Amino acid sequence: MPQSLARSLGFAPLVPLWVLVTLGILAVVLCAYALFRRTKGAFLRLAALLSVLVWLAGPQRLHESWHVLPETALLLVDQSPSMSVGQRAAIARQAASTLAQAHTDGLNLRTVTVRNSGHNGTRLFDALEQAAADVPPDQLAGVVMITDGQVADIPASVPDRLRPTTPDGKHLTLPLHVLLPAKGEETDRQLRILQAPPYAIVGQPAKLRVQVDDAGPGTTPGAQADVTLRVNGEDPVVIPVRTGSPQDISLPVPHPGQMLVSLSVAPLEGEVSQLNNQSVTHITGIRDRLRVLLISGTPNQGERVWRRLLKADPSVDLIHFTILRPPDKDDGTPLSDLALIAFPVRELFQDKIDQFDLIILDGFENRNILPHAYLNNIASFVRKGGGLLLTGGPEFVGPGTLQDTPVGDILPAHVPSEGGMVEQRFRPKLTAEGRRHPVTAALPGAPPQNSSADTAQTIPGQWGPWYRALKPDSTHGQTLMSGPDNAPLLVLDHVDQGRVALLLSDQIWLWSRGEGGGGPQAELLRRISHWLMKEPELEEEQLTAAIAGGELTVTRRSTADAAQKSVTVTPPGSPAISLALKPPAEDAGNKEDAAGLSVGRMQADKPGIWQVDDGTHKAFAAPVQPDPQEFADLRATATRISSVVSASGGGVFWSGDNSASPRVPSLRLADGSTQHGADWMGFPHRNAHVVTGKSATPLLPAWLMLGLSLCLLFAGWWREGRR
């Protein structure tokens, strides 16, 4: 066990302290009196008295025996995601193992592995602070970091943990050494999306702002680079940019719904990795304003329902007309006395009809209100991509109905004049197709599939009753709800590029009044309206894909009876593979809510755009990096951390790119100001120790002090006796 002696002076008085003080005062007084009397030899007598007092004070030499404590150096091993580039992680592990196995007398090495667990990049200095808190300040020798240099929390100066206070009140700077798993400074090219709007107006260009940066030896800003732009996997567009400066890119937004925009830049010669040469963003196309024309044939209970629903949507511009006095009604009132405005037929149905997205005819009976040409315009409006919603009542079975006009050619059902109106209590229910269609699937309070819709009593889980409906003799399209005797109640249909919805009853307003428990009137009408305006989330045939947590989830929705069994998945830069789809009943918990759905999952940890194809539809997905800062710069570089390393007196070392035998400097305890060399890392001697024992020996022997005192007294007498 190494030991050392530390000597210091102590006192063990032979008499009480007050006696020493009294004798000392007396000696001083006598000396002063002798000097006043000009007595010769006074100083020699005083010296003799003081020698006696010093001997009585018992001066001693104190001896301490102590044990030297080993010093501790922290070894922080970076295993963050950026260390996955090339062989960095393997080199770091091998270098850490080599350092841990090396033995240096008086030095212990404590290894701490640092993994990125947040979204703010690699934080090695936070890990240093936590690890150093467990080491006594007088035993900390310094720190070694094995990292690629991409550290997010580099301080402006040496951390306080590496500047401990010595016993004499001074600050000692401990070294910080850095070992980088590479041959030397590397180069890298990075593509960043500076600005990307989450939403964009359909028909107007969306503006992206991107920047390409080159970093590392031999790179210069202003070089030309080619950026490739793809939208939903379509044909690429190549855009030349200059590195080091922002570039604006205009992107057309042709339709509503989500757009997956991928950007990639041509690689830089010799760059370390191309992982950050690409980026992905999502932009959702939305309509600026949805213009809806609502025509109520006569004042009715459902008008307020429609107005409340459409006015509550801030994205809807509603134009509403109610026909209070049809042309064939003449009560003798002079026209000059009427307060009604003329119905702007020409303006609505010829001049501006193409400006609307949706036309709603609520209980509309023609009665020669619209000429034949304007009814043709409505049918043409639908065929060119517009939406038409009709709610039918008694006006559908009388003379002059819309069924007998050009509008009848686009209606999905025909109601006969004889027996076409049924007046009886019934409860609407979903058809099998309606349980799969997104317009009516999982509507709140939908009755179970096996329940009777015509029961008179109110049963939890059933919608409230209606009392009147139309009974068509023919339908085409998709029947989502049924009424009395299972007759079609809600029918949707595609007409060329447009869509038509027909509700064969005018009593949906009863649900808003809570009749028999009410029903999801507002939600149903909202879904029908947005389906007519081609809301992507309400399409009856959907294929969606999403990547989260390294897993690709593919969801297929269909109204077909037989669910699709598989889809084709094309990973980035890899051949296509088949992915099986299964009903999600086990995950959904409610079988009816999952009707029409099939789901497939697979691992997807490869960056880039993944394409999914079912033969008719395509979907795209891209993984989102959990910590973009970690992959912003993929170089192994000492430029960012070198200032702190230099200020601490540490060194920067490069281990090479061979994971089997990296170049690892040796560790040593070094005296002097230099703490590193070409192949070694040094740490200062802290001299930390614990005292194991104490002993004392008299500083002045009694015989020596007695002889000295007598000599001084004799000298004083001799001086006094001289003339």
Side-chain angles (χ1 to χ4, degrees):
M1 179 181 299
Q3 291 186 346
S4 177
L5 293 178
R7 297 186 178 184
S8 59
L9 182 65
F11 294 91
L14 301 178
V15 296
L17 183 61
W18 65 269
V19 174
L20 284 176
V21 173
T22 302
L23 292 176
I25 294 174
L26 181 61
V28 172
V29 171
L30 291 175
C31 180
Y33 177 76
L35 290 175
F36 178 75
R37 297 290 303 271
R38 297 180 181 272
T39 303
K40 296 179 180 181
F43 284 110
L44 292 173
R45 290 189 178 92
L46 177 62
L49 290 175
L50 290 178
S51 65
V52 173
L53 290 177
V54 170
W55 173 67
L56 291 176
Q60 294 179 336
R61 288 181 299 176
L62 300 178
H63 304 267
E64 289 185 350
S65 60
W66 41 273
H67 169 61
V68 177
L69 297 176
E71 300 179 21
T72 299
L74 297 177
L75 175 61
L76 303 181
V77 184
D78 183 0
Q79 291 291 331
S80 61
S82 66
M83 291 288 287
S84 63
V85 175
Q87 297 292 316
R88 292 179 187 175
I91 294 172
R93 288 192 293 268
Q94 182 61 38
S97 176
T98 301
L99 289 173
Q101 292 174 4
H103 177 71
T104 302
D105 289 338
L107 180 67
N108 293 332
L109 198 63
R110 181 177 297 181
T111 302
V112 178
T113 301
V114 181
R115 294 180 174 85
N116 183 21
S117 58
H119 304 278
N120 300 316
T122 305
R123 308 191 68 82
L124 285 183
F125 285 88
D126 284 351
L128 185 157
E129 179 70 21
Q130 296 176 11
D134 296 333
V135 180
D138 60 342
Q139 292 182 240
L140 181 63
V143 178
V144 179
M145 290 183 177
I146 304 180
T147 176
D148 56 7
Q150 300 299 338
V151 183
D153 60 343
I154 299 176
S157 60
V158 179
D160 292 339
R161 290 288 184 181
L162 297 181
R163 299 184 72 247
T165 303
T166 59
D168 57 0
K170 297 181 179 179
H171 286 290
L172 174 67
T173 301
L174 303 178
L176 167 64
H177 303 289
V178 172
L179 178 63
L180 295 110
K183 288 183 176 180
E185 291 287 340
E186 297 175 333
T187 58
D188 186 44
R189 169 169 284 177
Q190 174 194 2
L191 171 67
R192 292 184 295 154
I193 298 180
L194 303 179
Q195 293 179 1
Y199 299 94
I201 304 300
V202 174
Q204 299 181 14
K207 183 174 290 186
L208 301 178
R209 173 162 287 191
V210 303
Q211 182 168 330
V212 177
D213 294 313
D214 293 343
T219 59
T220 55
Q224 181 172 324
D226 291 334
V227 173
T228 301
L229 170 70
R230 288 178 181 266
V231 179
N232 288 340
E234 298 174 356
D235 293 337
V237 177
V238 178
I239 303 169
V241 299
R242 292 287 177 182
T243 62
S245 59
Q247 173 82 37
D248 291 333
I249 298 177
S250 292
L251 178 69
V253 184
H255 54 77
Q258 191 176 81
M259 300 166 51
L260 183 64
V261 182
S262 67
L263 296 163
S264 62
V265 63
L268 177 67
E269 183 178 357
E271 70 172 316
V272 62
S273 175
Q274 298 181 26
L275 286 175
N276 56 354
N277 287 33
Q278 56 188 347
S279 188
V280 176
T281 186
H282 295 82
I283 299 177
T284 302
I286 57 174
R287 300 179 190 270
D288 184 13
R289 302 289 290 178
L290 301 174
R291 302 200 65 191
V292 178
L293 173 62
L294 171 61
I295 306 295
S296 298
T298 56
N300 60 78
Q301 297 280 2
E303 277 188 282
R304 188 172 299 174
V305 172
W306 280 113
R307 288 186 62 84
R308 186 166 56 245
L309 170 68
L310 297 172
K311 283 291 187 181
D313 192 338
S315 64
V316 171
D317 282 337
L318 175 64
I319 298 177
H320 183 199
F321 286 93
T322 301
I323 301 173
L324 299 177
R325 189 171 187 242
D328 60 353
K329 182 178 181 181
D330 187 5
D331 57 4
T333 304
L335 293 176
S336 59
D337 293 343
L338 291 175
L340 305 178
I341 64 172
F343 188 33
V345 177
R346 178 182 177 85
E347 184 178 6
L348 293 177
F349 295 102
Q350 180 168 318
D351 297 339
K352 297 183 177 180
I353 189 171
D354 292 333
Q355 297 181 8
F356 294 104
D357 298 294
L358 172 64
I359 296 176
I360 301 175
L361 300 179
D362 177 31
F364 181 80
E365 186 176 1
N366 191 27
R367 295 188 183 182
N368 298 320
I369 295 175
L370 298 181
H372 194 82
Y374 295 159
L375 295 171
N376 262 328
N377 289 344
I378 295 177
S380 177
F381 161 79
V382 172
R383 291 190 173 96
K384 290 189 296 184
L388 177 63
L389 171 58
L390 298 95
T391 60
E395 73 281 354
F396 255 76
V397 294
T401 68
L402 288 176
Q403 297 182 117
D404 302 326
T405 69
V407 175
D409 296 338
I410 62 173
L411 296 182
H414 180 267
V415 180
S417 56
E418 295 293 335
M421 175 66 68
V422 177
E423 295 187 357
Q424 69 178 57
R425 177 191 175 97
F426 70 95
R427 294 181 185 273
K429 66 177 182 179
L430 297 179
T431 64
E433 191 173 25
R435 295 184 184 277
R436 297 190 295 268
H437 200 289
V439 169
T440 49
L443 272 175
Q449 189 170 3
N450 56 359
S451 67
S452 173
D454 298 320
T455 54
Q457 69 273 21
T458 300
I459 300 175
Q462 289 187 337
W463 292 327
W466 297 355
Y467 300 93
R468 183 168 65 193
L470 300 174
K471 189 173 184 179
D473 55 5
S474 65
T475 60
H476 54 86
Q478 298 172 308
T479 301
L480 307 187
M481 297 177 65
S482 61
D485 302 323
N486 290 324
L489 184 62
L490 173 61
V491 186
L492 310 184
D493 193 20
H494 294 260
V495 180
D496 294 339
Q497 300 179 25
R499 301 179 178 189
V500 179
L502 176 59
L503 183 60
L504 293 161
S505 176
D506 58 354
Q507 294 198 328
I508 193 172
W509 59 271
L510 289 170
W511 278 355
S512 65
R513 300 287 183 88
E515 175 72 17
Q521 159 263 332
E523 178 64 15
L524 176 60
L525 294 180
R526 186 196 68 81
R527 292 191 191 183
I528 295 173
S529 301
H530 284 268
W531 177 85
L532 290 167
M533 292 183 284
K534 303 177 182 178
E535 178 69 33
E537 294 181 356
L538 293 172
E539 293 293 330
E540 51 266 54
E541 299 293 328
Q542 297 180 29
L543 178 66
T544 59
I547 297 178
E551 183 180 64
L552 171 68
T553 302
V554 178
T555 304
R556 179 74 169 91
R557 176 182 285 276
S558 176
T559 57
D561 293 334
Q564 188 156 340
K565 300 297 184 182
S566 65
V567 293
T568 301
V569 178
T570 306
S574 301
I577 55 178
S578 179
L579 175 63
L581 302 181
K582 298 179 181 179
E586 300 147 4
D587 303 89
N590 189 335
K591 218 173 191 185
E592 296 184 8
D593 290 348
L597 292 177
S598 53
V599 178
R601 294 182 176 88
M602 65 177 294
Q603 185 177 1
D605 52 5
K606 194 172 184 180
I609 295 183
W610 293 63
Q611 177 178 305
V612 182
D613 191 345
D614 66 359
T616 304
H617 307 87
K618 291 183 178 180
F620 303 90
V624 177
Q625 295 291 354
D627 189 355
Q629 185 176 350
E630 186 67 22
F631 291 90
D633 189 350
L634 294 175
R635 297 175 298 149
T637 178
T639 55
R640 300 179 61 187
I641 201 172
S642 59
S643 60
V644 178
V645 173
S646 299
S648 71
V652 175
F653 304 87
W654 299 89
S655 66
D657 57 0
N658 188 348
S659 61
S661 57
R663 295 191 299 271
V664 181
S666 61
L667 303 179
R668 66 176 66 170
L669 292 174
D671 293 320
S673 59
T674 302
Q675 296 296 335
H676 65 90
D679 58 354
W680 60 275
M681 303 176 183
F683 302 97
H685 285 283
R686 297 295 308 277
N687 295 320
H689 63 277
V690 292
V691 177
T692 58
K694 290 184 179 182
S695 61
T697 58
L699 181 63
L700 299 174
W703 61 267
L704 178 62
M705 295 305 298
L706 178 60
L708 177 62
S709 300
L710 290 175
C711 290
L712 290 174
L713 286 174
F714 285 135
W717 290 335
W718 174 81
R719 180 70 182 85
E720 184 180 2
R722 293 190 63 185
R723 297 291 180 178

